[in-house]
Amino acid sequence: MTGAVYPVPPEVAARARIDRAEYDHRVASAAANPESYWMAEGQCLDWITPYTRAKATSFDEGDFGIRWFADGTLNVSANCLDRHLATRGDQVAILWEGDEPGETRRITYRELHAEVCRFANVLKGRGVRRGDRVALYLPMIVEAAVAMLACTRIGAIHTIVFGGFSPDSLADRLRDCDVRLVVTADEGCRGGKRVPLKANVDRAVANCPGVSDVIVVRRTGGAVTMVEGRDRWWDVEMATAAPDCAPEAMGAEDPLFILYTSGSTGKPKGVVHTTGGYLVWVTTTFRDVFDHRDGDIFWCTADVGWVTGHSYVVYGPLANGATTVMFDGVPNYPDHGRFWKTIDLLGVTIFYTAPTAIRALMREGEDWVTASSRASLRLLGSVGEPINPEAWEWYHRVVGDRRCPIVDTWWQTETGGMLIAPLPGATDLKPGSATKPLPGVLPEIVDAEGQVLSGACEGNLVIADSWPGQMRTLWGDHDRFFQTYFTTYPGKYFTGDGCRRDEDGYYWITGRVDDVINVSGHRMGTAEVESALVLHPKVAEAAVVGMPHDVKGQGIYAYVTLNAGEAASDELRQTLRAWVRTEIGPIATPDAIQFAPGLPKTRSGKIMRRILRKIAEGDTSSLGDISTLADPSVVESLVAERQ
Ligand code: 6R9
């Protein structure tokens, strides 16, 4: 079915806030006069001090800098809560669905506002000040959104660590940005199993002298150890906290949050987003790409531990006064019908999930889907990795009953929000393509030398100019920020993705071109997994690459060289898998481990990953030139021993 085109359904175009003419008009006005275009876009927010200039950015080494709406001040929680109280105070802001069916909670804008103010006061009471870092290590519960918004209310910077990360990974992040206070829960629930969040925090904090306070939400009531003077219960603190707290006036360029993501080195990068530009970006992209209107029930299945959860579970929806679903479960618990039943139960109108989930559910057959009505749905979305046309077609035909357009949205932790995505009322869809850039976004495709390609072409994806939601720096390492993103192709932001553009100007992301792999929509640095493996006393060397995986998109394939005298065995394979799980977390568990007597290296000692990738892919017929290897014979034995 590749090559199929799905035109905008006329009834969708008729109702949409942006149709084709309006899209063309916006693209043209953003190009003709960027400053006035962005000045107007910034008006989607309530500002305390209005900005007098929108864009002040340069990607060039000499005057490098990224500043948006810089002299304006605002408060994120006031934009997400206070400004809605007069018109939609009693509307549900968050519809929470727990891990167990039947476990639900509805919280209105007015209630959410009071909770956020209370928790802001709790934070203040613990001595948290503007600019301090607060870490959240929480399940997908309402308290996660409350804690995020409470930080923004007082100008504290949050850093959310996904609950699947190990104590060591958590500790690395707490130390890197010098966290003062951690918010966690006794335990998390995932697919009927318990996750010992508080116990993990105890182990992490033991190595983080900077953490003076831990606040614990009671989620399961499971037994935990409370450390006198350091640990406090959320409910106890909230019971005596005042329900009002004036929002702090923050500069547009003050940091809003830090979110760690994987790069091509072993150390995760602390991506910093700031207040004004980020909120403008998630507010406008949520509104336009999901064509949001009053009465919508919006469900993004991402965890708040990832950027998608930040931008499209919490900030984008709430800034627009939407009703957002928070789901604390998994797609296959208690059975494979969970998503579709929940859509009926909550009356979901817009559903946004990842290709890996679609592929996993597709394997279970259509009956799970057709057992539900899904009559409330009007729009579907995809994010996190390229969606293969087959999964796209299934999502469209079976889940969306051919009625619902699919917005395949390409973006990154670094971009803050969507950059390449269809607008449902304006863009004809092609399964597998994220389609076209949003107005004001300037993608380019360059070849290895940095030559900008035109027309239909394939190469590396760069963005030629800044947009408001762009990350501003890496926490504590501005130099690394510049080096990582702006030196490969000087003067342009390098995305790390490969991309093809077709004759209609549609963009087709082909996947990462760096040492980052995408496992079930989660970013994993191969170097991170390698560092974890070589920490094991029996391992001498490790090289990790991605391999094709039917459900996860990519799986993790590890080549391991053991220390002299150590014997390879299935048992050791299992031990190493478990080792990586504890070092990093379950998402980093290798799918295959191949013991290798040696790794293919150049004479200068560089591991030839290209060859390892080919072997892992099972594509051993075209290994390319191996004559530059120090010892070409290792390749033969690697091929013979492929897992
Ligand atoms: C939002 C998010 C970013 C990487 C990105 C790319 C891949 C995300 C995609 C997609 C093709 C899409 N990616 N969305 N590839 N089509 N619609 O996922 O952020 O976790 O930082 O990952 O994910 O490779 O570079 P993040």
Side-chain angles (χ1 to χ4, degrees), residues 308 384-386 408-413 497 509 512 518 523:
T308 309
E385 50 177 318
D408 174 3
T409 61
W410 174 84
W411 58 292
Q412 312 177 296
T413 305
D497 277 323
I509 308 294
R512 302 289 303 195
N518 194 323
R523 260 168 80 162

Side-chain angles (χ1 to χ4, degrees), residues 111-125 146 150 153-154 236-246:
E111 291 163 342
L112 186 60
H113 176 263
E115 293 278 288
V116 167
C117 288
R118 278 202 180 89
F119 196 63
N121 286 326
V122 170
L123 290 174
K124 279 189 184 170
V146 170
R153 193 138 190 110
I154 63 171
V236 173
E237 298 302 302
M238 290 289 270
T240 53
D244 40 54
C245 170

Side-chain angles (χ1 to χ4, degrees), residues 361-386:
L361 294 169
M362 191 169 116
R363 290 212 307 195
E364 304 300 331
E366 296 180 16
D367 293 353
W368 289 107
V369 190
T370 52
S372 67
S373 119
R374 287 155 289 107
S376 55
L377 282 178
R378 69 173 179 85
L379 186 63
L380 300 171
S382 174
V383 61
E385 50 177 318

Side-chain angles (χ1 to χ4, degrees), residues 29-284:
S29 38
N33 191 342
E35 181 62 11
S36 72
Y37 180 80
W38 296 117
M39 282 295 286
E41 286 295 282
Q43 293 304 308
C44 65
L45 301 182
D46 285 3
W47 295 81
I48 299 170
T49 320
Y51 50 86
T52 60
R53 181 177 174 192
K55 184 173 186 287
T57 71
S58 164
F59 289 173
D60 295 326
E61 182 151 25
D63 59 349
F64 181 74
I66 303 167
R67 293 168 65 76
W68 284 91
F69 314 108
D71 62 352
T73 68
L74 74 166
N75 182 276
V76 168
S77 74
N79 274 283
C80 290
L81 302 168
D82 306 50
R83 67 165 169 167
H84 306 312
L85 293 182
T87 49
R88 48 180 97 226
D90 297 321
Q91 181 198 309
V92 174
I94 299 178
L95 250 175
W96 180 76
E97 169 82 11
D99 190 42
E100 295 297 331
E103 228 187 344
T104 51
R105 193 176 159 194
R106 285 160 194 269
I107 177 158
T108 65
Y109 271 95
R110 200 179 315 288
E111 291 163 342
L112 186 60
H113 176 263
E115 293 278 288
V116 167
C117 288
R118 278 202 180 89
F119 196 63
N121 286 326
V122 170
L123 290 174
K124 279 189 184 170
R126 299 314 320 145
V128 176
R129 299 282 169 263
R130 190 178 165 125
D132 285 351
R133 270 78 61 208
V134 171
L136 315 184
Y137 185 67
L138 284 165
M140 278 293 284
I141 52 180
V142 173
E143 287 81 355
V146 170
M148 290 164 81
L149 290 161
C151 287
T152 75
R153 193 138 190 110
I154 63 171
I157 303 167
H158 62 68
T159 182
I160 309 189
V161 181
F162 175 60
F165 277 116
S166 68
D168 280 351
S169 298
L170 172 61
D172 285 345
R173 288 156 175 78
L174 298 179
R175 277 194 301 263
D176 187 75
C177 66
D178 196 16
V179 163
R180 272 204 25 45
L181 181 146
V182 181
V183 185
T184 190
D186 46 8
E187 295 174 308
C189 303
R190 271 185 83 77
K193 299 195 191 85
R194 300 283 166 97
V195 185
L197 295 175
K198 173 61 165 65
N200 287 351
V201 168
D202 291 341
R203 284 165 59 197
V205 168
N207 299 313
C208 301
V211 176
S212 56
D213 289 272
V214 177
I215 298 185
V216 188
V217 179
R218 260 185 258 261
R219 166 75 177 94
T220 65
V224 295
T225 321
M226 296 294 276
V227 175
E228 182 73 35
R230 186 195 73 183
D231 301 351
R232 289 174 176 77
W233 289 106
W234 171 287
D235 49 316
V236 173
E237 298 302 302
M238 290 289 270
T240 53
D244 40 54
C245 170
E248 192 83 10
M250 302 303 292
E253 286 299 337
D254 284 337
L256 172 61
F257 65 81
I258 305 166
L259 181 57
Y260 286 86
T261 190
S262 296
S264 37
T265 70
K267 193 171 167 277
K269 307 182 280 198
V271 169
V272 176
H273 281 289
T274 58
T275 305
Y278 172 83
L279 198 63
V280 167
W281 198 246
V282 299
T283 304
T284 54

